[in-house]
Every structure is written in C-alpha cells, then in structure tokens.
Amino acid sequence: MSAESKIIKPIAKGIIHRICSGQVILDLSSAVKELVENSLDAGATSIEISLKDFGEEWFQVIDNGCGISPNNFKVLALKHHTSKLSEFHDLQSLTTFGFRGEALSSLCALGNLTVETRTASEEVATLLTFNHSGALADEKKTARKVGTTVTVKKLFYNLPVRSKEFKRNIRKEYGKLVSLLNAYALIAKGVRFGCTNTTGKNAKSVVLKTQGNDSLKDNIITVLGMNTFNCLEPMSLCISESCEVDGFLSKPGLGNGRNLGDRQYFFVNGRPVDMPKVGKLVNELYRSANSKQYPIAILNFSVPTKVYDVNVTPDKRKIFFSEETSLLQAMREGLQQIYSPDNASYAVNEFMQPDSQKKSSIVTKPSLPCEEHYTECKTDSKDASESDDDDLFSEERLICENIRGSTGQEFILRAHKSLKGDTSGRQSASAHSAWRNQATRVSRTIDQYSSDSPRHVQSTLNNFVAVSKRKHDDIITALSEVPVLRNQAPHHQLKTANTETNDSITRSYIHLDQINETSKPSQIENSQQLNPDSINHKSVNSLSYRDGSTDREPGMKLYQENTTQLADTATITPSSNNLISTSEHVLVSDSPIRSSPLRLDSPKSSGQKIFSNMQFSFQDLKSRREKSSSLMQPRNYRYEKHNGKSHYTAATLELSQPESEQQKERNLAAAATELERFFKKEDFSRMKVIGQFNLGFIIGKLDQDLFIVDQHAADEKYNFECLSQSTILNQQPLLRPMKLELSPEEEIVASIHMDIIRKNGFTLEEDLNAPPGCRYKLKSVPYSKNTMFGIEDVKDLISTLSDGDGHGECSIIGSYKQDSTDSVCPPRVRAMLASRACRSSIMIGDALGRNEMQKILEHLAELKSPWNCPHGRPTMRHLVDLTKVRKRSELSMQM
Amino acid sequence: MLELRLVQGSLLKKVLESIKELVNDANFDCSSTGFSLQAMDSSHVALVALLLRSEGFEHYRCDRNLSMGMNLNNMAKMLKCAGNDDIITIKADDGSDTVTFMFESPTQDKISDFEMKLMDIDSEHLGIPEAEYHAIVRMPSAEFARICKDLSSIGDTVVIAVSKEGVKFSTKGDIGSANIVCRQNTTVDKPEEATVIEMNEPVALQFALRYMNSFTKATPLSSSVTISLSNELPVVVEYKIAEMGYVRFYLAPKIEEDEEETKPQA
C-alpha cells in the first residue's frame, strides 16, 4: 500500500471557520433568509430587502427592529454567539427563528459584512465593519432610525468554485429567494415586507411589497393576489389539544388549483418549513376533488415547541415531529372531509343573453345591489342631513365622495334603473320620500337624545370615516354613507376584515342605536299608522339589504320585492300578502323596542353587554325576517333558501364574534362561494328527467335547476364501479420465477410493502443470499380475462409505493391505502377496468327511454364518486337556474 | 452447415402458427437428432416445447449444434409466403447471422428464397423433468378446442377435473357457470376420435382459459390432444406431429391456497 497512515491533527481555527460557514450559507436565499429571520426575531414591523444585481454585488436587509446594543458589538459576528439560546434544553422552548449563532459569522467569512444599528436608548446609530474572522474591525457613528441594517457585499468571493456557480446561477438563486420571501411575507402578521432589486444603472424594481396586514387572509391577497385568494378555502383543524393546523387550501373543482405544485407553503409556528409528507398527502387527497391540478396550500401548524425538533439541517427547513404518524392521520381525516367525494360544488351557470348583460352583471357583482341602494338615497339623505347637523353633513359628504371616486359602476346601475322604466319610477320615488322622512327623523332623534349619545355616534363615525379613508386603497368596493352605514356595518366588516375589534363593536353599537331610534318613532307615532309602518318596513328592508349583501342574488331579488311592497304600503293598497308582511313587520319592530330600554338604561355600559343584547335582537330580527321573506316570496326556491340560511348563519357568526379574525375570514370565504352550490350525490336520485338532448345527454331537473348529464360518462362510471367491485384478479403462478431487477432501494420498499404487493396479486419470493439487486423473484402474477399483468406492473407498483412516502411509513400506508378510494394498484388495472366499463356502457348516440335515463341517474346516486368518468370527463354540469329565466321573462313583460 | 428439407412444408407453417401467439422470440436448436425449440411466453407463465426429429425430414444435415434466435412473427410472415404443398428447406451457414428458407413448388417450376436475419436471444435452456402424472387424458383436439372456446366466453378459468367417469371442464363467470363432461369413449371407429382416460388418482386443477385457448392454436397439427395432469406439476398439453415429434405446452395451475380472492383496488 502506498498510502501511509497519516497523522491526525486538529484543523486550524480559521479553516474550521471557513469550512463551517460554507455549510450554513449555501446560497443567496439562505443568506437573506438568515438576515430576515434575525429581523423578525428583533421584532421588526418593516423589513426591506434590497439587492444589487440580483444580490451578486451586494444585498441589504433593513429593519426597524430593536437594534443591537453597543455592548454586543464585539461579539456580534463571532461564531456560536447568540442571544437566543443559552442552555441546550432551551431548544425545546425556542420561539425565535435562529438559535445557533452562526449566521452573521458565516456571512463574515463568505463576504464583506457591515452592520448599521441603533437601539431606542441611543441617540445615533453605529456603523460596524467586521473582518473575515468575525471580529469587529471598525466602528463609527452614523445617522439612522432605530433598527438594524445588515449589508453583505460580494458574497462567496473567496470561494472560487462557489463564486463561479453563484454568478452563473444568479437568476435562479434570485428566483428562489423571491419565493422564500413570499413564504415569510405570507405568514408574518403585521410585518411590512419589501424587496427591491437594482440592476446596473436601472431604477429599483420592486419585487415584493406587502402592507403589514394582521391576517393571513390579507397577506395572501397582497402576496398572491385576489384571484388566487378566491380559489382558496379556509381550513382549520384541531389535531390534538395543543396542535392545530389552520390556513387555506384550494377549493375542490377544476380551475381552482394550479398546474404546478409550487404554491404550497407549510409553516410550523410561523417558520416556513418543508413538509414533503404533508405535501404529498394534500396533493393526493386533492386529486380526488380535482384530478388534473395541484392545490395551493398555505398551512400553519401551531404545535408546542417541545414536540418537534428543528435542529436538523443547517437551513432549518426540515423538521422532525415526535407524533408524525398521528399528525398525518389526523390531517388525512380532516382533509378528507374537505375533499369528500360525496359532495361536489359546481359553478352555477349564468344564463346570459346579449340584452341582459347589465342585469347579470348586477347579479354577479357582490356589492352592487347595495350600491344601487346607496345611489338612490344618496341625494335624499344629503338633503336630510343638510337640514340637521353640519358635522354630520361633512361626514357624509366625505363618504359620498368616497363612493363617487371608488367606482363608476353605480352610474351604469342608475342607467339600468331608469331603463326599468315607469313602473319602478314611482316606486322609487315613494321609497325616496320614505327614506327622507326616516332620515330626518333619525337625525332629529339623535339630536333629541341625551347629549352624549349623538356625540358618541359622532365620534365613532369620525373614527369610522378615518378607517374607511385609510382602507380606500385596498377596498375597491364602495363604503357607505351614514344612513347606509349602520345597515351596512356587518357588510363593511366583511370587506375590511382587519378593522379593529373596537371599531366593529362600536359600529354595531351605532347600528343598535339606529334601530332603536327608528323603532322609537314607531312607538310615539302610533296614531300615524302609515308612517311608522313604512319606517318599520324600512328597518326590515335595511336588514334585508344587509343580508342581501352577503347573499348576492337573493339580495337583489329581495330588494326588488321589497321596494314593490314599500310602494304598496305607501299608497295604502292592502293586499293579503301585504297584510301579512305588515304584521310581520310590526312584530319585527317589537324586538328592538324590547331591547331598547335595556340599551337606554345603560348607555355607558360595557360594549360587551350591549353587544350581546344586540346580538339577540339581530338574531330575532333575522329569523323573523326570514319568515317574512318566505311569506313574501313563495317562489323562493329551496336552493336559495338553503343557501340563504347558510349565509345567515355566516352573518350571525359575524355578528356574534367580530373579535375573531379567523371567523371573519371564514365568513368572507363563505360569502364568496355563493355562486357555487353544493350538490350531494343523493340529489341525483331526486333529479327528474326532462328529456334527452342530442342523443347524448340527459337533461334533468332538480328543484329549480336544470342539469345536463353525460349519458355515456355516467353509465361508464357506474359500470366501472361495479366492475371494480366484482372483478376478481386470478393469480397465475409462473412456471419459473422471474428475476426482478430492482435497485437496493426498491428492494427495501418491496420488503416493507409485501402485503400490498400480495394484495394486488403478485407474489414475490425473497432470496436473502442473492446479491442485492436480484433478491426478489416474481412467483405469480394476476390476470383477468385477456389481460395479463407482468413484471413491468410490479415495478410500477413498487415505484408508486416508493415515491408514495419514502421509508418507515409503512404502518400508515398499510392502514389508509386500503380503505381509501384511490388505493395503490397498478395503473394498468385501472386502465383495464376503465376500458371494459367503457365498452359495455351506453354510448353517445343511443336513444334512451325515460325509464332508462331515470335509472342512469339513480345509479349515479349510489356511486362512491359519481362526478367523473374513469377517464376524467365530468358526468354532470349545471345548465340553468329556472328562477332566473322566469324572472327575466317577467321583467320583460313589465317593460 | 445446416440444411433441413421438409417435404410437408405446411407442417412447419402450422407449427409456427401454433406457437407464435405465445412466444415472440425464441431460439431454435438444431442438433443431429432434430430441430427443437423451447421457450417461455413473455410473462413466464407458459412454456412451449417443440421437437421435430431428424427422421421426419427428407434431408437432414446438421454438422454441429446450432442455435438460431428468431423472431417468430417474422418467421411466420416468411412462411406464409410458402404454398401449402411447397417443400420447405431451411438453410444456414456456420457463423452466418441469417437463415434462408427455400420454398419449392411441387412441380419444381418455382423456387423462392427468403433470407431472414437472426437475433441474439439469451435464454437458458430449461431441463424439463420427465414426470409421472396422476391423470392423462387423450381426446380429440377439435373437441378440446371447442370446449376451451366455449368456456372462455363465460369465465376466466377452467377447472379440469378427472375422475373415473370422465373429464369435467367447468367454469364460472359473471353471467353464470358451465360444466362440460367428456366420458371415456374408446368404442369409436377412428382411434383419433376416442377419449381415453388413464388415471391413478382423481385430479382437479384450475387453469387460465386464456392460455388454454392459445394452446389450441395447435389443433391443426394433430387430431388428438393429450392432457397430462398432476397436482404439483404444470399441466402438459401435447399435440403430436405425425411421425416427427410434438408440440407441448406447459402451464402452471392457478394458486388455490390463497383463499381470499384478490380484487383490484380501483
């Protein structure tokens, strides 16, 4: 042997430093990540990252955190010096991102590090320069706000290979950095992120800019955009007492996912981490709801710090959980409920005609009915307020301007309104007068009431206007003017989910005030039956608006119906319908009156109390409202009601817990999913066959909706499920076992999943003495009819199993794979069954009798997952909502 | 140098037709005693053994043992070009990578030469042990083919049960079940139409009909077929080729020990 035994000796300190540093700071994104985490740990609320030439020249992280105190300057960039950890067991209770004390020292070793910092107790900032070993080289005073700026120049310049690589791949590195920053920007609440890049002599280009919102929802909207957010559904899962998962996931259904699995962010207590197993699980379950796309997932795991270990890899992206199996199991169950194959939501098909464009735009725009309402009474309320309080007037004008500036939509709406013609003209006129009456009375009563009450209202109004002005940038939809404000309070709440809790309470408080005031006159002016009636009516009406705002299409309808009714009461033309509704309304007006003494007795009692009080009355009102609306609208069909109810509950939730941000988010999402309806598979059996279309499709009617069902796809799916139930795979032993050439890795997978392989009809024989790579021999294969499965299929199966979840997860796999609908089986088995099912099914072009069609629909109701045929084509689509067709035909008759 | 002259050219055509469905590529082994082939089907479920003894050829010359790898489909394509009563001569030079098929019309006025490229196939030669079977059934081959065809329209597998009374073929499928019993029958005019059962002990084994149907492609080769069954051994379905040799098919019975039936988990 030529190599002699060499002497083992210690490595010099400087060399250690450089070797280790290269492990901590791998690339641009890990360097910036360390600095951003430091800033977050320092409690910064604004973090700005600027790059020069994508970070190749220098990069800088500027924050407004607590700064570094002067006695730490010397040790700041020394290896393994940190303020975050002193004992080893501190690791278990870690709440900071960093803990090893390596980041700055590593950056020193790999680039030129300067730090500019100032704490609140110092008058001027200090500029610190460090040498490569991490020692403080220079220190001088400079000007800066409280906070820290860390600048690293020429990263990797002293590591030739890495430096080359770094320069070559700088764009890629930059891309990685941006996606990493996205993750931090999503999860960090109340922190403003900004990232800019300067290339050459060009101006700064902004890559990322967030507002420092307080909720995940707003972060998602700013980082990923509103369109993306609309495709998301909030989820929250309690895995155990201490372990919770919350966040957002893509909604089921085609078009809501992404074609790439790139937007999947997982956080553990706010730390962005990689969770391949969770990711795989989410992807797998999402496939049952949307077979072609990947979900977007933004999930934060809130777990106690002692049940996981983050000290695994230098970049801290990998995490070990002590209870990973149960976590995954619970996740699976929770997600299965979301992506259950039993229900499918489908997009309601809007019935469009060229001349009805305006109308449908109203139906689809969530807040338009309300806007229409604003514009109508804007002028009136202005008049009313002019006669009253100057302050109020200015207030209102401000908001009116707000509305004007916000959107031109209302003008179109107004145009549309006039289009509607004479019939509605008179109605709206009377509505205006009623409004005016009410508005004047309200403002007068405000004056008349105890002196502090209006002032209170005033101040909250002031408050509110300020808020709304501030929010104006973000919220495109119009805010409201005063009389509408109280009606729209919850609506507004929905829109500006991050309004302070206080605000929402006080706003509801106003709301209560106003209700009391409107009901008060009704008590006083009992003699004047007509007026209070219309006022009561108005209050109910306003309630309906509020409901309507969360409930797009019914709201629209309610509005129309109500105005008609209002006109009726005003002109005193009592019809039976009317009588019922008036009595209803009197009843409704009771409840605020009942609650008003309470409120009046304790005008200064805690918001909480009033709040709960109000909540009661709201719910009461709402239930009455619901009743009366069902009386008023016998045509209100089931779906709508069902929907309406769910949104009522959403709205109720809203009112009862305005404190909880999450709740608000959820309700917002609920409101946003209105155009989607839930369809249970049992509904197939209730569907009535109308007829066959084009010898290929069944037109079915369910309540007031028409659906189109693909006869071939439907029958194919039924046959497929029957076949997969009944087909037996025969086992055919081989005359001579075949050698399976597997990689050693695959052999391990095979040995773990022997039972699954056996269940699929393959028998493997293990030869422990054989060299690795040919330990397994195939002894028997499954076959069915003329399809024989062979060695390729075993290999397929093994590779599915191996990328299913690596190693050591056999216990979970074993239990869940068999029960779930998409358990592991060679793809060819599925293909075989699918092709058999296809061939034996009713074809497009077959004429069908009514009974046959009904049978197809009934079959669908029995299936596990009737939504897609085995090849992926949808079986059912929504065609049209009959109520809308009818309504329009009525409208056109009116015109 | 190899030169085999077969007057009954159609025989070779039939042999190829009978095995090309099961086997794609195979080595033909030529020795001084005869021309033989042994090959597994691609999924290693069935085995084909073919033997054409040298005596059956009009002229047989094989200087030294030779193994020729051929694609049976291609070979069948070439043999299709031969007329039914043509004389076929197979020729190959030592060390050559081609084989030549020469077809002579009976009147000798047309001679066609087809040269086919050989291929390298590594396959181990399996020693097939001579075994004692529990039951041997000889029956008309057309009858057997008919039974297999009929049963495969009903089920996937056939149970062949041999008892003193006769041999019972039964199957079960989605639409129902079927049983066909062939009794021992030796009192016929022609011996090839007889059904003869030799049995030591009753046997009942289950086989994939798909393979049985492939085996019956050899029916034109012989008017009778011999089925040898034994509990631990693969079934042998043998078609004798008049005075020359045989085509034997081997198939393992379906495993029954596994009570729970495997279902596809789709």
Side-chain angles (χ1 to χ4, degrees), chain A residues 540-577:
Chain A
V540 170
N541 221 358
S542 58
L543 260 175
S544 81
Y545 284 130
R546 205 204 34 209
D547 291 339
S549 67
T550 54
D551 208 353
R552 295 170 210 191
E553 10 166 355
M556 178 65 199
K557 202 179 299 164
L558 286 180
Y559 172 69
Q560 286 173 341
E561 298 259 336
N562 282 346
T563 41
T564 334
Q565 292 226 319
L566 188 72
D568 283 352
T569 39
T571 51
I572 327 175
T573 44
S575 65
S576 61
N577 195 2

Tab-separated table of all heavy atoms in Angstrom, chain A residues 540-577:
chain	number	residue	atom	x	y	z
A	540	VAL	N	-86.765	46.822	8.325
A	540	VAL	CA	-86.681	45.442	7.872
A	540	VAL	C	-85.966	45.390	6.541
A	540	VAL	O	-85.089	44.579	6.297
A	540	VAL	CB	-88.095	44.844	7.744
A	540	VAL	CG1	-88.019	43.503	7.056
A	540	VAL	CG2	-88.713	44.705	9.103
A	541	ASN	N	-86.401	46.361	5.741
A	541	ASN	CA	-85.802	46.452	4.436
A	541	ASN	C	-84.290	46.560	4.515
A	541	ASN	O	-83.559	45.881	3.832
A	541	ASN	CB	-86.362	47.709	3.769
A	541	ASN	CG	-86.655	47.432	2.326
A	541	ASN	OD1	-86.394	46.332	1.864
A	541	ASN	ND2	-87.206	48.392	1.646
A	542	SER	N	-83.897	47.432	5.410
A	542	SER	CA	-82.450	47.631	5.519
A	542	SER	C	-81.786	46.341	5.968
A	542	SER	O	-80.700	46.012	5.522
A	542	SER	CB	-82.147	48.760	6.495
A	542	SER	OG	-82.692	48.450	7.735
A	543	LEU	N	-82.470	45.645	6.830
A	543	LEU	CA	-81.920	44.367	7.239
A	543	LEU	C	-81.748	43.459	6.044
A	543	LEU	O	-80.745	42.784	5.885
A	543	LEU	CB	-82.869	43.691	8.215
A	543	LEU	CG	-82.490	43.824	9.677
A	543	LEU	CD1	-83.579	43.224	10.516
A	543	LEU	CD2	-81.167	43.163	9.918
A	544	SER	N	-82.764	43.500	5.228
A	544	SER	CA	-82.702	42.618	4.081
A	544	SER	C	-81.555	43.027	3.172
A	544	SER	O	-80.939	42.209	2.532
A	544	SER	CB	-84.009	42.642	3.318
A	544	SER	OG	-84.043	43.757	2.488
A	545	TYR	N	-81.296	44.296	3.150
A	545	TYR	CA	-80.146	44.717	2.356
A	545	TYR	C	-78.892	44.126	2.911
A	545	TYR	O	-78.022	43.691	2.213
A	545	TYR	CB	-80.014	46.239	2.359
A	545	TYR	CG	-81.021	46.872	1.470
A	545	TYR	CD1	-81.796	47.906	1.935
A	545	TYR	CD2	-81.197	46.417	0.182
A	545	TYR	CE1	-82.743	48.468	1.125
A	545	TYR	CE2	-82.138	46.973	-0.619
A	545	TYR	CZ	-82.917	48.006	-0.151
A	545	TYR	OH	-83.843	48.563	-0.937
A	546	ARG	N	-78.851	44.177	4.207
A	546	ARG	CA	-77.631	43.677	4.800
A	546	ARG	C	-77.474	42.202	4.471
A	546	ARG	O	-76.422	41.734	4.139
A	546	ARG	CB	-77.641	43.888	6.293
A	546	ARG	CG	-76.263	43.947	6.832
A	546	ARG	CD	-76.270	43.593	8.248
A	546	ARG	NE	-77.322	42.604	8.402
A	546	ARG	CZ	-77.985	42.448	9.497
A	546	ARG	NH1	-77.735	43.210	10.513
A	546	ARG	NH2	-78.900	41.529	9.591
A	547	ASP	N	-78.561	41.494	4.602
A	547	ASP	CA	-78.500	40.084	4.255
A	547	ASP	C	-78.138	39.933	2.798
A	547	ASP	O	-77.335	39.099	2.431
A	547	ASP	CB	-79.844	39.418	4.511
A	547	ASP	CG	-80.119	39.344	5.995
A	547	ASP	OD1	-79.147	39.430	6.764
A	547	ASP	OD2	-81.279	39.236	6.349
A	548	GLY	N	-78.774	40.764	2.043
A	548	GLY	CA	-78.557	40.693	0.605
A	548	GLY	C	-77.097	40.902	0.245
A	548	GLY	O	-76.603	40.326	-0.703
A	549	SER	N	-76.464	41.698	1.016
A	549	SER	CA	-75.082	41.978	0.653
A	549	SER	C	-74.212	40.749	0.799
A	549	SER	O	-73.213	40.608	0.119
A	549	SER	CB	-74.532	43.105	1.516
A	549	SER	OG	-74.440	42.664	2.833
A	550	THR	N	-74.590	39.881	1.678
A	550	THR	CA	-73.821	38.646	1.758
A	550	THR	C	-74.386	37.601	0.828
A	550	THR	O	-73.812	36.559	0.649
A	550	THR	CB	-73.840	38.083	3.184
A	550	THR	OG1	-75.197	37.959	3.578
A	550	THR	CG2	-73.086	38.980	4.125
A	551	ASP	N	-75.512	37.881	0.301
A	551	ASP	CA	-76.239	36.854	-0.409
A	551	ASP	C	-76.611	37.409	-1.770
A	551	ASP	O	-77.702	37.911	-1.961
A	551	ASP	CB	-77.504	36.584	0.411
A	551	ASP	CG	-77.945	35.173	0.197
A	551	ASP	OD1	-77.364	34.504	-0.660
A	551	ASP	OD2	-78.873	34.774	0.856
A	552	ARG	N	-75.729	37.322	-2.687
A	552	ARG	CA	-75.875	38.146	-3.881
A	552	ARG	C	-77.228	38.121	-4.539
A	552	ARG	O	-77.966	39.092	-4.572
A	552	ARG	CB	-74.853	37.694	-4.919
A	552	ARG	CG	-73.472	37.944	-4.425
A	552	ARG	CD	-72.535	37.276	-5.335
A	552	ARG	NE	-71.368	36.892	-4.561
A	552	ARG	CZ	-70.258	36.471	-5.073
A	552	ARG	NH1	-70.147	36.368	-6.361
A	552	ARG	NH2	-69.264	36.156	-4.309
A	553	GLU	N	-77.609	36.974	-5.067
A	553	GLU	CA	-78.771	37.013	-5.925
A	553	GLU	C	-80.066	37.161	-5.154
A	553	GLU	O	-80.939	37.908	-5.574
A	553	GLU	CB	-78.806	35.814	-6.853
A	553	GLU	CG	-77.774	34.796	-6.487
A	553	GLU	CD	-78.012	33.488	-7.159
A	553	GLU	OE1	-79.029	33.341	-7.845
A	553	GLU	OE2	-77.182	32.606	-6.993
A	554	PRO	N	-80.210	36.455	-4.031
A	554	PRO	CA	-81.455	36.688	-3.308
A	554	PRO	C	-81.572	38.154	-2.911
A	554	PRO	O	-82.655	38.730	-2.942
A	554	PRO	CB	-81.343	35.801	-2.084
A	554	PRO	CG	-80.199	34.927	-2.306
A	554	PRO	CD	-79.354	35.513	-3.359
A	555	GLY	N	-80.445	38.717	-2.578
A	555	GLY	CA	-80.444	40.103	-2.137
A	555	GLY	C	-81.032	40.992	-3.205
A	555	GLY	O	-81.871	41.853	-2.943
A	556	MET	N	-80.621	40.758	-4.356
A	556	MET	CA	-81.106	41.503	-5.500
A	556	MET	C	-82.620	41.387	-5.592
A	556	MET	O	-83.348	42.360	-5.730
A	556	MET	CB	-80.445	40.902	-6.749
A	556	MET	CG	-80.888	41.527	-8.034
A	556	MET	SD	-80.377	43.235	-8.100
A	556	MET	CE	-81.485	43.825	-9.362
A	557	LYS	N	-83.045	40.166	-5.452
A	557	LYS	CA	-84.455	39.905	-5.603
A	557	LYS	C	-85.237	40.543	-4.459
A	557	LYS	O	-86.268	41.171	-4.662
A	557	LYS	CB	-84.671	38.398	-5.619
A	557	LYS	CG	-85.961	38.037	-6.291
A	557	LYS	CD	-86.113	36.550	-6.296
A	557	LYS	CE	-85.002	35.889	-7.055
A	557	LYS	NZ	-84.922	34.484	-6.765
A	558	LEU	N	-84.705	40.335	-3.267
A	558	LEU	CA	-85.360	40.888	-2.098
A	558	LEU	C	-85.542	42.374	-2.281
A	558	LEU	O	-86.574	42.940	-1.971
A	558	LEU	CB	-84.520	40.639	-0.854
A	558	LEU	CG	-84.535	39.198	-0.347
A	558	LEU	CD1	-83.654	39.102	0.875
A	558	LEU	CD2	-85.952	38.786	-0.017
A	559	TYR	N	-84.528	42.944	-2.786
A	559	TYR	CA	-84.569	44.382	-2.942
A	559	TYR	C	-85.733	44.787	-3.806
A	559	TYR	O	-86.533	45.637	-3.466
A	559	TYR	CB	-83.251	44.862	-3.559
A	559	TYR	CG	-83.301	46.306	-3.918
A	559	TYR	CD1	-83.354	47.272	-2.932
A	559	TYR	CD2	-83.335	46.686	-5.252
A	559	TYR	CE1	-83.428	48.590	-3.264
A	559	TYR	CE2	-83.413	48.009	-5.585
A	559	TYR	CZ	-83.456	48.968	-4.599
A	559	TYR	OH	-83.546	50.272	-4.942
A	560	GLN	N	-85.845	44.108	-4.897
A	560	GLN	CA	-86.923	44.459	-5.806
A	560	GLN	C	-88.281	44.228	-5.161
A	560	GLN	O	-89.163	45.064	-5.193
A	560	GLN	CB	-86.824	43.635	-7.080
A	560	GLN	CG	-85.686	44.132	-7.947
A	560	GLN	CD	-85.475	43.223	-9.125
A	560	GLN	OE1	-85.926	42.081	-9.112
A	560	GLN	NE2	-84.793	43.726	-10.134
A	561	GLU	N	-88.393	43.084	-4.565
A	561	GLU	CA	-89.672	42.749	-3.945
A	561	GLU	C	-90.026	43.769	-2.876
A	561	GLU	O	-91.158	44.210	-2.760
A	561	GLU	CB	-89.571	41.354	-3.308
A	561	GLU	CG	-89.285	40.285	-4.331
A	561	GLU	CD	-90.526	39.520	-4.716
A	561	GLU	OE1	-91.458	39.513	-3.895
A	561	GLU	OE2	-90.565	38.960	-5.815
A	562	ASN	N	-89.034	44.093	-2.122
A	562	ASN	CA	-89.306	44.984	-1.007
A	562	ASN	C	-89.706	46.384	-1.468
A	562	ASN	O	-90.576	47.001	-0.881
A	562	ASN	CB	-88.099	45.067	-0.092
A	562	ASN	CG	-88.023	43.821	0.778
A	562	ASN	OD1	-89.003	43.087	0.855
A	562	ASN	ND2	-86.891	43.601	1.394
A	563	THR	N	-89.050	46.844	-2.482
A	563	THR	CA	-89.430	48.174	-2.949
A	563	THR	C	-90.867	48.156	-3.444
A	563	THR	O	-91.631	49.076	-3.210
A	563	THR	CB	-88.504	48.663	-4.079
A	563	THR	OG1	-88.262	47.583	-4.943
A	563	THR	CG2	-87.224	49.225	-3.533
A	564	THR	N	-91.213	47.086	-4.109
A	564	THR	CA	-92.579	46.987	-4.573
A	564	THR	C	-93.541	47.055	-3.387
A	564	THR	O	-94.531	47.781	-3.393
A	564	THR	CB	-92.813	45.644	-5.290
A	564	THR	OG1	-91.584	45.204	-5.800
A	564	THR	CG2	-93.847	45.801	-6.375
A	565	GLN	N	-93.190	46.306	-2.393
A	565	GLN	CA	-94.051	46.250	-1.225
A	565	GLN	C	-94.118	47.583	-0.523
A	565	GLN	O	-95.157	47.997	-0.048
A	565	GLN	CB	-93.516	45.184	-0.276
A	565	GLN	CG	-93.681	43.815	-0.874
A	565	GLN	CD	-94.239	42.861	0.123
A	565	GLN	OE1	-93.831	42.899	1.277
A	565	GLN	NE2	-95.168	42.050	-0.285
A	566	LEU	N	-93.001	48.210	-0.473
A	566	LEU	CA	-92.945	49.506	0.175
A	566	LEU	C	-93.895	50.468	-0.527
A	566	LEU	O	-94.682	51.151	0.090
A	566	LEU	CB	-91.522	50.050	0.112
A	566	LEU	CG	-91.303	51.303	0.908
A	566	LEU	CD1	-91.319	50.975	2.380
A	566	LEU	CD2	-89.991	51.929	0.520
A	567	ALA	N	-93.803	50.443	-1.820
A	567	ALA	CA	-94.681	51.303	-2.596
A	567	ALA	C	-96.133	50.972	-2.287
A	567	ALA	O	-96.986	51.847	-2.146
A	567	ALA	CB	-94.411	51.132	-4.073
A	568	ASP	N	-96.387	49.714	-2.162
A	568	ASP	CA	-97.755	49.294	-1.863
A	568	ASP	C	-98.243	49.863	-0.539
A	568	ASP	O	-99.334	50.421	-0.443
A	568	ASP	CB	-97.819	47.757	-1.798
A	568	ASP	CG	-97.804	47.182	-3.203
A	568	ASP	OD1	-97.904	47.983	-4.152
A	568	ASP	OD2	-97.680	45.963	-3.328
A	569	THR	N	-97.452	49.733	0.472
A	569	THR	CA	-97.873	50.227	1.770
A	569	THR	C	-98.028	51.744	1.750
A	569	THR	O	-98.884	52.309	2.404
A	569	THR	CB	-96.873	49.849	2.863
A	569	THR	OG1	-95.571	49.987	2.329
A	569	THR	CG2	-97.119	48.438	3.356
A	570	ALA	N	-97.150	52.373	1.003
A	570	ALA	CA	-97.193	53.821	0.962
A	570	ALA	C	-98.500	54.301	0.318
A	570	ALA	O	-99.104	55.260	0.764
A	570	ALA	CB	-96.023	54.365	0.184
A	571	THR	N	-98.899	53.651	-0.697
A	571	THR	CA	-100.122	54.068	-1.376
A	571	THR	C	-101.364	53.418	-0.760
A	571	THR	O	-102.474	53.606	-1.248
A	571	THR	CB	-100.047	53.720	-2.867
A	571	THR	OG1	-99.666	52.334	-2.968
A	571	THR	CG2	-99.021	54.574	-3.585
A	572	ILE	N	-101.172	52.728	0.322
A	572	ILE	CA	-102.260	52.047	1.031
A	572	ILE	C	-103.155	51.262	0.085
A	572	ILE	O	-104.311	51.608	-0.181
A	572	ILE	CB	-103.141	53.008	1.869
A	572	ILE	CG1	-102.286	54.159	2.416
A	572	ILE	CG2	-103.805	52.265	3.017
A	572	ILE	CD1	-103.080	55.200	3.143
A	573	THR	N	-102.579	50.260	-0.478
A	573	THR	CA	-103.381	49.327	-1.260
A	573	THR	C	-103.165	47.941	-0.656
A	573	THR	O	-102.317	47.198	-1.118
A	573	THR	CB	-102.957	49.322	-2.731
A	573	THR	OG1	-101.534	49.293	-2.760
A	573	THR	CG2	-103.481	50.521	-3.471
A	574	PRO	N	-103.891	47.688	0.400
A	574	PRO	CA	-103.584	46.452	1.126
A	574	PRO	C	-104.017	45.211	0.340
A	574	PRO	O	-105.167	45.117	-0.097
A	574	PRO	CB	-104.392	46.592	2.419
A	574	PRO	CG	-105.432	47.614	2.133
A	574	PRO	CD	-105.055	48.398	0.930
A	575	SER	N	-103.083	44.349	0.171
A	575	SER	CA	-103.412	43.027	-0.368
A	575	SER	C	-103.185	42.032	0.764
A	575	SER	O	-102.626	42.374	1.797
A	575	SER	CB	-102.504	42.716	-1.554
A	575	SER	OG	-101.192	42.624	-1.086
A	576	SER	N	-103.590	40.834	0.566
A	576	SER	CA	-103.454	39.838	1.635
A	576	SER	C	-101.969	39.641	1.968
A	576	SER	O	-101.582	39.592	3.122
A	576	SER	CB	-104.091	38.527	1.191
A	576	SER	OG	-103.416	38.058	0.034
A	577	ASN	N	-101.226	39.585	0.954
A	577	ASN	CA	-99.784	39.415	1.126
A	577	ASN	C	-99.225	40.533	1.983
A	577	ASN	O	-98.446	40.321	2.913
A	577	ASN	CB	-99.147	39.427	-0.274
A	577	ASN	CG	-97.719	38.907	-0.225
A	577	ASN	OD1	-97.267	38.521	0.846
A	577	ASN	ND2	-97.056	38.893	-1.349
